[in-house]
Amino acid sequence: MLLKRLSLAALFSLTMVGCTTAPNTLAVNTTQTLIQYERNKSDLETKSFILSSGDRMVYAENANVTGEPLLLIHGFGGNKDNFTRIADKLAGYHIIIPDLLGFGESSKPIAADYQSEAQAKRLHELMTAKGVASNLHVGGNSMGGAISVAYAAKYPDEVKSLWLVDTAGFWSAGIPKSLEDATLDNNPLLVNTKEDFYDMYDFVMNKPPYIPKSVKAVFAQERIANKALHADILEQIVMDGVEERARVIAEYDIPTLVVWGEKDQVIKPETVNVIKDIIPQSKIIMMQDIGHVPMVEAVDQTAEDYKAFREGLKK
């Protein structure tokens, strides 16, 4: 029973799971086994691509190359495995889930530009190389949502739809009370210790999946090791608004689904009002009792809502 519970939940940390430094070798090996089990169940293969900059981008891709391509972009501190379990529910699409530069197994150049447009350009380079850039559906969570907006604004003729999940970058909505006093030295999204990770895990989700502390401790290691880089990336993110770019989405009438957890403590749920004002054609779905990561907390409902949205595009 424990193995089953772990296999359903272990990959849903907001951190890279491929670390090799951890407090317990058995926990590391168990975690790696469970992560690979979930990737296999979702028919995901891990691949890599060398960008023109020389940096390496690692990504997961399913085998459904005849399906419409769907690019899924993780949030701050996350990686491709944030979408692994829901990928199983979206198997009708050709799914591509990268580790953004700075996260997961991708390169982590210290001096890189990590703002949304720079990340969007890198993703477009990958999509072009794979031959799917001209007919692409794009979705992202949190920071990945802001990158999705930047991607669609820069390549509006190529993006067929947007899926924005508790997206960042619409900063005129303000910040939640839970982060009003946050700094780069004291921030629930930055991890100095495994205890910080335990707190962060509960902070970002209202209904976090069960994961034993021994496995969370494995997840915490990469976040601890890359705390300085993540602090720099976070500083870039909070200065990077996407509201003007979003007006291009409205101009091109790109179909947009906005999903938000009503219990989000990271980005204010009222942000949906700002998005609706800027992107009038957007459809809004509020999820009760869900936090910042709906595709982790409510896998089935999040997937069903997205598939219904995609079906609606055919009418």
Side-chain angles (χ1 to χ4, degrees):
M1 179 59 71
L2 177 60
L3 179 61
K4 181 177 181 181
R5 292 174 73 187
L6 282 171
S7 68
L8 293 177
L11 63 94
F12 301 131
S13 155
L14 298 188
T15 186
M16 180 258 196
V17 297
C19 56
T20 57
T21 304
N24 183 290
T25 301
L26 177 61
V28 174
N29 293 338
T30 300
T31 300
Q32 297 285 13
T33 298
L34 295 170
I35 295 303
Q36 191 57 52
Y37 168 79
E38 288 290 348
R39 290 177 185 171
N40 292 344
K41 194 174 73 170
S42 292
D43 193 29
L44 292 171
E45 181 181 354
T46 301
K47 304 178 181 180
S48 66
F49 174 72
I50 304 301
L51 297 162
S52 58
S53 63
D55 294 308
R56 179 173 179 254
M57 180 173 283
V58 176
Y59 62 98
E61 181 178 23
N62 70 0
N64 184 15
V65 295
T66 61
E68 290 188 89
L70 172 59
L71 170 65
L72 296 174
I73 310 171
H74 66 78
F76 174 77
N79 67 42
K80 58 187 176 297
D81 285 306
N82 293 161
F83 286 99
T84 298
R85 189 179 178 199
I86 201 170
D88 183 46
K89 314 296 181 184
L90 303 175
Y93 310 120
H94 177 194
I95 297 175
I96 302 167
I97 320 171
D99 283 334
L100 293 166
L101 242 62
F103 301 97
E105 298 176 273
S106 290
S107 296
K108 300 175 178 63
I110 297 298
D113 183 350
Y114 287 103
Q115 295 191 70
S116 57
E117 184 164 322
Q119 294 281 33
K121 288 179 181 178
R122 297 176 186 120
L123 293 172
H124 187 261
E125 186 178 345
L126 172 63
M127 296 300 100
T128 300
K130 295 193 68 63
V132 299
S134 63
N135 185 36
L136 188 64
H137 299 265
V138 181
N141 170 238
S142 193
M143 176 187 73
I147 295 168
S148 299
V149 170
Y151 191 107
K154 191 162 187 64
Y155 312 105
D157 290 320
E158 300 179 357
V159 174
K160 303 306 177 186
S161 75
L162 275 179
W163 182 21
L164 305 180
V165 184
D166 293 67
T167 188
F170 291 85
W171 301 132
S172 67
I175 62 175
K177 290 185 180 297
S178 57
L179 291 176
E180 283 180 351
D181 298 323
T183 67
L184 292 178
D185 294 321
N186 182 21
N187 192 302
L189 300 178
L190 295 173
V191 175
N192 288 298
T193 67
K194 63 182 181 181
E195 288 76 20
D196 287 344
F197 183 85
Y198 302 157
D199 292 341
M200 182 275 297
Y201 188 78
D202 292 331
F203 177 72
V204 299
M205 289 182 279
N206 191 52
K207 293 183 176 180
Y210 167 74
I211 301 179
K213 282 190 174 181
S214 60
V215 176
K216 289 181 184 177
V218 177
F219 291 160
Q221 297 308 302
E222 190 268 350
R223 293 294 294 272
I224 295 169
N226 290 288
K227 194 260 185 177
L229 173 61
H230 289 171
D232 180 61
I233 294 173
L234 185 59
E235 188 173 20
Q236 292 188 43
I237 291 170
V238 299
M239 299 297 292
D240 183 25
V242 298
E243 293 181 22
E244 286 305 311
R245 296 189 186 102
R247 299 187 192 282
V248 177
I249 296 165
E251 178 185 348
Y252 278 78
D253 198 28
I254 298 173
T256 302
L257 175 64
V258 178
V259 175
W260 218 282
E262 288 187 339
K263 300 293 187 179
D264 191 342
Q265 297 187 84
V266 180
I267 305 177
K268 292 177 71 173
E270 292 85 354
T271 303
V272 298
N273 299 322
V274 175
I275 297 175
K276 185 66 175 179
D277 183 59
I278 297 173
I279 311 174
Q281 77 272 19
S282 60
K283 177 182 179 181
I284 310 293
I285 295 177
M286 301 298 297
M287 302 188 74
Q288 293 185 352
D289 298 321
I290 299 300
H292 186 60
V293 198
M295 75 283 184
V296 172
E297 298 176 70
V299 177
D300 291 339
Q301 188 59 55
T302 304
E304 288 305 312
D305 287 342
Y306 180 68
K307 288 188 288 186
F309 166 71
R310 289 289 299 270
E311 284 297 314
L313 300 183
K314 299 176 182 179
K315 298 177 181 178

